[in-house]
Each structure stands twice: as structure tokens, then as C-alpha cells.
Amino acid sequence: MVSKKILVLGGAGYIGSHVVCELLDKGYEVLVYDNMSTGQSENLFEKAGFIKADILDVDSLQKAMQGVDAVIFFAGKKAVGESMINPEMYAQNNLIGAVNVLNAMCANGVKNIIFSSSAAVYGIPQYVPLDENHPLNPINFYGFTKWEMERLLAWYDQLKGIKYAALRYFNAAGYDVQGRVRGREQNPQNLLPIIAEVADGKRKCLQIFGSDYDTPDGTCLRDYIHVNDLASAHVLALEALFAGRDSMTLNLGTGKGVSVKEIVASAEKFLGRKLPVEYAQRRPGDPAVLYAKADKAKELLGWEPKFVSVDEIVSSFLKKH
Ligand code: UDP
């Protein structure tokens, strides 16, 4: 079998680097393209090629597309709060970046793309679990860019025959269970990396945003999906497109809601000590409960998450390799 060449945009980032590991394992030729604004050099693997460039740099993008069989598109801004303060940056990177990527694909005859979407496209849930047909009503600019990017994909499919898998991640969590990914995100904004910083003494205390929600323990429920499971879904989606399947939009989650307190308890169990915790106000825009109906990915791809226990997810995050 001739190895297929995959261009991974944003391949030095958190999810991208896990997907690169999985692709290399499966024998794909991989070219990572990353501007290293948040990507980490520890996440670059010898077996993969690397181009340091931005998706806003059309010439570099054009060159990188040559001889490529598929694109996996992680490069994008992803901090919800920042997107509300600096929408220009999100429009530029996520929207103009996506147009550049799709146009470079057209110019080079690349017909397949796997795209990182997000549960943020749904906004405040009207019901849970959230299936893919839930109305789309993003409540932050980041979620809006993801939705627009999905719509761009649908048009380029219709007009240019580009096949896509748009994967709507729920709460990506954990680190490679084999310890191959060594980079750790800088200035994290999410619960688990913040817990890791509190555990390391880099932060004084974890603030739990809201303890009076209408949930079993009063804290928010989220669907934490292990990053190795996300990675396997990307490769299955890629194989499905290579096999000639139609474009698809899929939730990637476990289908289970886990509370902030459960995550903290699991971290404390792993560390063998209590963490400094403080109860704070609810964070604006946080729905009480958010979890996926993830059956479609199972039906279409035969994908099932493997690392579903809270302890597995949390320990893979806190373990030092
Ligand atoms: N959270 C928290 N303290 C923090 C960060 C997050 O209590 O310092 C809560 C947040 O309110 C939400 C859950 O942890 O209920 C997951 O938040 P995160 O920002 O990781 O992901 P989101 O669900 O917002 O995408």
C-alpha cells in the first residue's frame, strides 16, 4: 500500500500532536504545519515533516499542499473569553484562515479534510444529551467561527467536491496514555490544566465556578473526552473519507456528564492530597449541563471511546512522564 500523505495544520498543539502520533502509528506520512504561536516544539516528532508557517501565509500554504491526500485542520484560535474581547483576531485566524485552507486545497486538488469543530456551536442546550440535530446557536464568537467554518465546508463540498468530517469536540481532556506527547499548554484556561497548575503549586488555588447549579452536587456537568479517543476518531474519519464516504458532522464525546467536584475528587485521589479549592461565582455563559449524544460517530465510524472513567482521564493528565 502506498502511504498517504496527511497535512496536519496546527499539528504541534494539544489535540493535533496526539493525532500526529496516531497517524504515524498507522503508517501515514505526516507533514505538520504550525506557526508555533501556541504549538510546542516538544510536540514535534522526528518521523513527521515540519513547516513553521501560518495559515494566513497563502504562499506557504500552497506549497505545503503539494502531493497531499488529506488535510487535518486544527490551526485556529480556541479561547472563548479572548474571542469575545478580540473578535477581529478570531475572524482573521479562524475564518480567513479557513478560506485560505480551502482555497489552497482547491488549487492543489486535495479533496479530503477533517475539521476541528466544537460543542460551542450549540450554545445553551435546549435539551441533553445534545445530538447533531440540536439547533445551532453559539453564544460566543469562538463558537460562531466554528459554525461558520462548518458552513464553508458544506459549500466547498457542494461546489468543489471537497469531502469533510466536521468533528464537534466536547471537553477534550487527558494526555497520551503512552506518554509520547510532552508539551503542556501555556496559560491554560480549562479546568484540568488549571488543576494541574494548582497541583504543581504554580497557582494558589482552584476556583470552582458555581456550586448552586441544579445538578446532583451543585457544580456543572461536562462531557470529558480523552484526547487519545479524539485522535482515534480522526483517523477513522479520515479512513472513511478515503473509502469514498460522504461528508459528515459528528459529536465526539462519551455521552456522560461529569461534575467539577467529581473531577477535583479524582485529582485529589490521584495526588493523595487535598487541593486548595475556593467556591466562586458562576462563570457567565456556562450552562449547567452539557453532554453529547455520541451514537452517530459509533454508527458511521465504529468509534467508541476507550478511556471513559474519570480517574483514567484525570490521571493521564496529572501523570508526569
Ligand atoms: N471550571 C471551574 N474552574 C476553573 C475552570 C473551569 O470551575 O478554573 C468549570 C467550568 O465552570 C465548567 C467546567 O469547569 O463547568 C469545564 O470548564 P472548561 O473551561 O474546562 O471547559 P468548557 O466547558 O467551558 O468548555
Side-chain angles (χ1 to χ4, degrees):
M1 193 189 87
V2 183
S3 164
K4 290 212 171 357
K5 182 172 171 183
I6 316 298
L7 177 63
V8 185
L9 306 171
Y14 169 48
I15 303 174
S17 55
H18 285 83
V19 171
V20 169
C21 282
E22 182 86 7
L23 290 168
L24 291 171
D25 258 10
K26 293 268 173 348
Y28 286 100
E29 186 186 342
V30 178
L31 177 57
V32 169
Y33 185 106
D34 200 303
N35 68 5
M36 303 307 275
S37 63
T38 53
Q40 314 228 307
S41 50
E42 297 108 298
N43 290 347
L44 296 173
F45 299 96
E46 233 164 64
K47 284 205 281 173
F50 172 57
I51 296 176
K52 182 171 185 280
D54 202 296
I55 55 171
L56 298 176
D57 170 359
V58 175
D59 287 343
S60 298
L61 203 49
Q62 289 278 9
K63 277 189 206 128
M65 287 285 170
Q66 284 162 22
V68 161
D69 296 287
V71 171
I72 308 188
F73 185 10
F74 297 103
K77 293 278 166 196
K78 62 162 193 170
V80 169
E82 185 184 52
S83 77
M84 299 296 274
I85 295 164
N86 193 351
E88 303 95 312
M89 188 209 281
Y90 279 69
Q92 181 85 352
N93 280 275
N94 292 4
L95 299 180
I96 298 181
V99 171
N100 289 347
V101 170
L102 288 165
N103 287 351
M105 288 176 70
C106 292
N108 287 278
V110 183
K111 290 286 182 201
N112 301 294
I113 181 166
I114 312 290
F115 171 64
S116 305
S117 189
S118 166
V121 296
Y122 296 118
I124 305 288
Q126 293 176 12
Y127 57 84
V128 284
L130 284 145
D131 58 39
E132 290 84 353
N133 295 322
H134 184 284
L136 304 181
N137 189 21
I139 56 160
N140 51 62
F141 195 79
Y142 161 75
F144 163 76
T145 64
K146 290 290 172 186
W147 183 28
E148 285 301 297
M149 288 154 96
E150 285 191 6
R151 284 156 45 125
L152 270 173
L153 289 171
W155 276 109
Y156 274 73
D157 178 358
Q158 191 180 317
L159 303 176
K160 302 296 289 189
I162 288 181
K163 294 294 158 203
Y164 67 87
L167 305 178
R168 294 177 178 161
Y169 311 149
F170 280 65
N171 290 57
Y175 270 106
D176 182 47
V177 290
Q178 296 179 46
R180 293 167 298 184
V181 174
R182 310 190 85 87
R184 296 291 178 263
E185 286 188 292
Q186 306 298 308
N187 308 314
Q189 323 254 344
N190 297 106
L191 179 63
L192 268 162
I194 288 174
I195 290 179
E197 288 200 346
V198 174
D200 286 347
K202 288 188 194 142
R203 263 179 211 249
K204 273 210 188 107
C205 154
L206 169 73
Q207 288 196 316
I208 294 184
F209 299 139
S211 53
D212 57 352
Y213 283 101
D214 185 16
T215 57
D217 67 17
T219 64
C220 290
L221 302 187
R222 291 289 179 275
D223 187 335
Y224 295 90
I225 173 80
H226 196 281
V227 67
N228 284 132
D229 286 323
L230 287 181
S232 66
H234 285 72
V235 176
L236 288 171
L238 191 66
E239 285 165 359
L241 295 186
F242 283 148
R245 297 271 289 281
D246 241 332
S247 295
M248 57 189 92
T249 300
L250 303 173
N251 282 342
L252 294 181
T254 62
K256 200 173 71 174
V258 174
S259 76
V260 177
K261 274 191 184 169
E262 283 176 279
I263 296 279
V264 174
S266 170
E268 290 178 335
K269 187 163 89 181
F270 175 81
L271 295 164
R273 61 189 156 95
K274 286 275 179 203
L275 288 171
V277 166
E278 170 184 298
Y279 288 95
Q281 295 287 315
R282 292 180 177 198
R283 190 170 62 174
D286 263 350
V289 178
L290 202 63
Y291 57 95
K293 185 163 166 62
D295 304 14
K296 195 172 162 195
K298 187 175 175 189
E299 276 160 34
L300 290 187
L301 303 177
W303 172 79
E304 251 182 302
K306 281 199 200 116
F307 307 103
V308 289
S309 88
V310 182
D311 289 347
E312 271 176 313
I313 291 176
V314 171
S315 67
S316 83
F317 210 98
L318 297 179
K319 217 179 266 170
K320 300 269 185 279
H321 287 283

